[in-house]
Amino acid sequence: MTTTSFTTTTKAQEYIALEDQHGAHNYHPLPVVLAEGRGCYVWDVDGKQYYDFLSAYSAVNQGHCHPRIISKMVEQSQKLTLTSRAFHNDQLGVYEKYVTDYFGFDKVLPMNTGAEAVETAIKICRKWGYEVKGIPENQARIIVCGKNFHGRTVTIISFSSDSGARDNFGPYTPGFESVPYGDVEAMRRAIGNDPATIAGVLVEPIQGEAGVFVPEDGYLAAVAEACKENNVLFIADEIQTGVARTGALLRICGDCTCTKTCERQPATYLRPDILILGKALSGGAYPVSAVLADNAVMDVIQPGQHGSTFGGNPVACAVAMEALQVVTDEQLILNARTLGTLFRAEMQKLVDAYPALLKLVRGKGLLNALVINDSPESDTAWNFCLALAEGGLLAKPTHGNIIRFAPPLVISEDQLLEACAIIGRVVKSMAEA
Ligand SMILES: *Cc1c(COP(=O)(O)O)cnc(C)c1O
């Protein structure tokens, strides 16, 4: 070990032991046990304060326990929590109008988790393929990208290229074809190969889990165009990139800083045929996901063909409306953009000063990654994150040697600079050890 390692107190160890003994071992968390959160800070069971630079994988864009969101949640929870969709409720329609107006689509289908929303999009896309496009029975294909992350259900992991996510979970759902991410020609070839059976293309506008891979400018536009030319649905999974994270309302908005999805800049705003949202749609307060599309697509779904007991419940609706209104009122798009530029500039200084330890920084808005100059199998990034935790900042390696930095978008400039200083101190101590 080259650096101060993280000290886990006896108290924290007791909680960790409980999880270890009674919970399935499907995660490998850092040895920190959190008990409270507010804004861009969290506190562990011993009262130690940290900057949260993961934000629950970008679910907590509005900051931990945002008072307005929590207050709406409490208020609605005391009135009515669940009706199922067997009956109407007085929040659902209001929310559906709000969210479709906010993102500029005719209709929404409300679900709970991200994976469910992706599954929903796949079902809608296939049904559209058969009923509108006229694909012969059971022949619909959807093109996806290598190194994708769209969730954990059997169908979704069927088209994952991550062996850990996929191995020994077969037999896999057929009907998906993978092409390398960011490769326009490969995408065009895949679509051009029997376009009559291709129902859709599913992409992440930036691949977050894969390590914050930002495609070249023009990639998404070219994919959207190829879809349009071949009557194929362009499906954007913005579960991690959406809701202001990358310095635009949606990543597909490009450089447009409008607070609502707009058509003022048609050159930069690529409108997907199906938009998938989750995570920060609720500000991390509650599981809320959504699939948005226009009538021509969404109307293929009729009563009894899809649903969820909790999807569109009154608490979810009230929470999501408030969470989106907070994004607008607190100008989180602008903050993510401005502070993202500052963050990358600060990290670039470190990359320039310590090239033996750091390879590069990349990202958009406040979705960024620092790539460690070591193999993915090394424990350098893990030790780096332990040292960051010791210094008061939480982040987690992805794919071995990549560290994602994604603080809540409510972070201030002073707080961001303080966080950068913590990272700088750790870099220095590791590089010079
Ligand atoms: C997190 C994520 C999902 C899955 O969301 P869950 O709520 O964990 O099911 C899907 N797609 C992307 C891009 C994500 O980041």
Side-chain angles (χ1 to χ4, degrees):
M1 272 298 296
T2 54
T3 181
T4 42
S5 85
F6 184 71
T7 18
T8 307
T9 62
T10 312
K11 188 173 181 186
Q13 275 167 9
E14 282 169 12
Y15 288 103
I16 292 172
L18 286 173
E19 288 188 25
D20 190 51
Q21 199 178 346
H22 303 287
H25 293 181
N26 56 330
Y27 279 90
H28 180 45
L30 257 75
V32 48
V33 181
L34 302 175
E36 275 181 61
R38 189 81 171 186
C40 60
Y41 296 115
V42 286
W43 290 268
D44 70 15
V45 287
D46 298 296
K48 180 175 161 71
Q49 178 177 301
Y50 307 84
Y51 281 107
D52 179 0
F53 265 54
L54 183 62
S55 303
Y57 301 99
S58 295
V60 195
N61 288 1
Q62 297 88 334
H64 285 277
C65 297
H66 194 290
R68 278 176 56 186
I69 301 172
I70 298 306
S71 145
K72 274 283 170 196
M73 185 162 76
V74 169
E75 190 187 312
Q76 185 58 44
S77 301
Q78 287 168 337
K79 282 208 288 213
L80 184 66
T81 57
L82 188 60
T83 58
S84 82
R85 297 287 303 275
F87 313 108
H88 297 278
N89 72 66
D90 69 355
Q91 297 296 308
L92 181 60
V94 180
Y95 165 63
E96 288 175 335
K97 179 177 187 328
Y98 183 92
V99 75
T100 51
D101 177 48
Y102 201 95
F103 292 102
F105 287 86
D106 289 343
K107 286 200 169 79
V108 62
L109 199 158
M111 297 295 283
N112 312 287
T113 66
E116 282 178 319
V118 173
E119 287 273 346
T120 302
I122 289 168
K123 286 175 73 177
I124 293 170
C125 178
R126 283 180 165 185
K127 210 156 190 299
W128 174 90
Y130 297 120
E131 296 177 5
V132 179
K133 179 162 174 168
I135 296 175
E137 193 180 341
N138 282 332
Q139 288 183 29
R141 292 182 298 147
I142 293 176
I143 298 171
V144 299
C145 293
K147 297 198 166 81
N148 67 70
F149 182 83
H150 296 287
R152 299 294 198 169
T153 63
V154 168
T155 288
I156 292 171
I157 59 99
S158 292
F159 55 83
S160 170
S161 48
D162 176 343
S163 62
R166 192 182 142 90
D167 289 358
N168 289 332
F169 293 118
Y172 303 111
T173 307
F176 300 93
E177 203 173 298
S178 184
V179 299
Y181 187 65
D183 184 339
V184 178
E185 279 318 309
M187 182 63 84
R188 283 215 188 94
R189 270 198 306 277
I191 296 176
N193 169 24
D194 199 7
T197 61
I198 297 174
V201 168
L202 172 62
V203 285
E204 296 160 86
I206 290 176
Q207 288 191 326
E209 290 309 300
V212 190
F213 284 106
V214 183
E216 274 179 29
D217 286 349
Y219 171 67
L220 296 168
V223 171
E225 192 183 283
C227 286
K228 201 172 215 140
E229 280 167 8
N230 292 284
N231 195 24
V232 163
L233 299 183
F234 175 46
I235 309 169
D237 178 348
E238 292 247 17
I239 291 170
Q240 188 161 152
T241 50
V243 194
R245 171 52 61 187
T246 69
L249 178 60
L250 302 168
R251 182 57 210 144
I252 47 165
C253 297
D255 292 327
C256 180
T257 49
C258 282
T259 52
K260 289 188 175 185
T261 307
C262 73
E263 281 164 280
R264 261 181 273 161
Q265 294 191 28
T268 54
Y269 176 39
L270 299 167
R271 203 162 172 287
D273 299 295
I274 301 180
L275 172 66
I276 309 170
L277 296 173
K279 295 200 167 113
L281 190 52
S282 73
Y286 202 79
V288 184
S289 66
V291 177
L292 291 122
D294 284 342
N295 291 334
V297 172
M298 194 65 95
D299 287 350
V300 300
I301 296 289
Q302 292 300 310
Q305 295 170 352
H306 191 59
S308 158
T309 302
F310 281 86
N313 74 74
V315 177
C317 294
V319 163
M321 273 189 279
E322 197 66 11
L324 290 173
Q325 195 56 48
V326 164
V327 169
T328 307
D329 295 349
E330 300 190 7
Q331 298 193 293
L332 298 187
I333 292 171
L334 198 61
N335 205 46
R337 175 169 297 222
T338 315
L339 294 191
T341 305
L342 177 62
F343 181 76
R344 284 185 299 281
E346 289 297 309
M347 291 303 108
Q348 190 58 50
K349 288 183 203 164
L350 295 175
V351 172
D352 293 342
Y354 301 98
L357 178 64
L358 305 176
K359 201 183 247 167
L360 58 92
V361 59
R362 63 173 171 238
K364 289 280 179 186
L366 283 171
L367 181 60
N368 296 293
L370 196 54
V371 182
I372 303 294
N373 204 357
D374 208 338
S375 80
E377 288 72 38
S378 76
D379 54 9
T380 311
W382 180 263
N383 291 333
F384 193 109
C385 288
L386 285 177
L388 286 174
E390 184 66 27
L393 186 145
L394 295 179
K396 182 111 199 280
T398 178
H399 293 272
N401 62 338
I402 304 170
I403 303 174
R404 175 175 26 197
F405 288 117
L409 310 183
V410 294
I411 193 168
S412 71
E413 186 173 329
D414 286 349
Q415 290 168 330
L416 187 90
L417 289 173
E418 196 191 341
C420 289
I422 295 173
I423 299 168
R425 282 196 289 277
V426 169
V427 167
K428 194 167 185 301
S429 80
M430 283 190 78
E432 290 169 1

